[in-house]
Amino acid sequence: SNPLLANVQDYLIEEVSAEEDELLGLHGTGEQGTGTEEKKEAIQENPKLLKVLDKLILYLRIVHSVDFYNCLQYPYEDEMPNRCGIFHVRSNITEEMVTNTEIEDHNKNMEKKLKALLDVMNGLSDEEANKLGLKTEEDEVEK
């Protein structure tokens, strides 16, 4: 078991579809029928979740060479703009007020950036594998 991921499992949730959330009424329809300005709320800090987030970001950085904040993966540590000795430091929460729309826009933007890292690559076609030197079990046993 990875010590970086200790006590993180309790905070992980399964991914569900937006359609399912909509049917369950978990998110609004996005219609603004009143024409009034959307209500702003203060950002609330949750120290327990921040500790878990820091562990997950550290795990991604060390194990998978992923820079979460830049949404990039580096195959070599030397290519990273900041070596693992320098980490992101979260600033204190300000009194800034945000709307739900701003939060959703930020989440959609991050999701779009992270999509390249989260997409599973398809396997090679037989033709591509042959070009790269595919070895078959039968041929190798005969050698």
Side-chain angles (χ1 to χ4, degrees):
S1 160
N2 191 324
L4 284 176
L5 298 179
N7 302 323
V8 171
Q9 196 73 17
D10 298 339
Y11 294 93
L12 300 179
I13 58 170
E14 288 185 33
E15 185 176 337
V16 294
S17 69
E19 292 85 13
E20 184 177 334
D21 285 350
E22 190 68 36
L23 289 172
L24 293 173
L26 297 177
H27 296 292
T29 59
E31 297 175 6
Q32 301 284 336
T34 60
T36 60
E37 190 173 318
E38 190 175 353
K39 181 181 173 187
K40 290 190 174 195
E41 298 179 27
I43 298 173
Q44 297 177 3
E45 185 174 335
N46 186 330
K48 286 183 181 179
L49 285 179
L50 290 178
K51 283 181 86 172
V52 171
L53 176 65
D54 289 340
K55 283 183 178 183
L56 290 172
I57 290 172
L58 180 63
Y59 171 80
L60 288 172
R61 179 76 181 234
I62 292 174
V63 176
H64 299 285
S65 297
V66 170
D67 184 346
F68 177 78
Y69 293 103
N70 287 325
C71 303
L72 296 171
Q73 183 175 20
Y74 296 91
Y76 305 105
E77 177 68 24
D78 293 345
E79 293 178 1
M80 294 184 106
N82 297 313
R83 302 262 173 105
C84 276
I86 303 173
F87 287 104
H88 172 82
V89 177
R90 189 177 296 108
S91 63
N92 292 332
I93 301 247
T94 62
E95 297 295 321
E96 184 179 350
M97 305 291 274
V98 295
T99 64
N100 282 337
T101 304
E102 291 170 332
I103 294 170
E104 288 173 11
D105 289 345
H106 172 75
N107 288 343
K108 285 178 186 175
N109 187 28
M110 285 296 288
E111 186 177 327
K112 190 186 321 178
K113 289 179 181 179
L114 289 170
K115 185 170 178 32
L117 296 176
L118 300 175
D119 284 343
V120 178
M121 295 179 65
N122 295 331
L124 296 173
S125 69
D126 290 338
E127 183 180 315
E128 292 170 323
N130 285 330
K131 285 181 182 178
L132 294 172
L134 175 69
K135 296 181 180 182
T136 61
E137 184 178 347
E138 295 168 359
D139 293 341
E140 295 302 312
V141 170
E142 289 177 12
K143 289 184 182 179

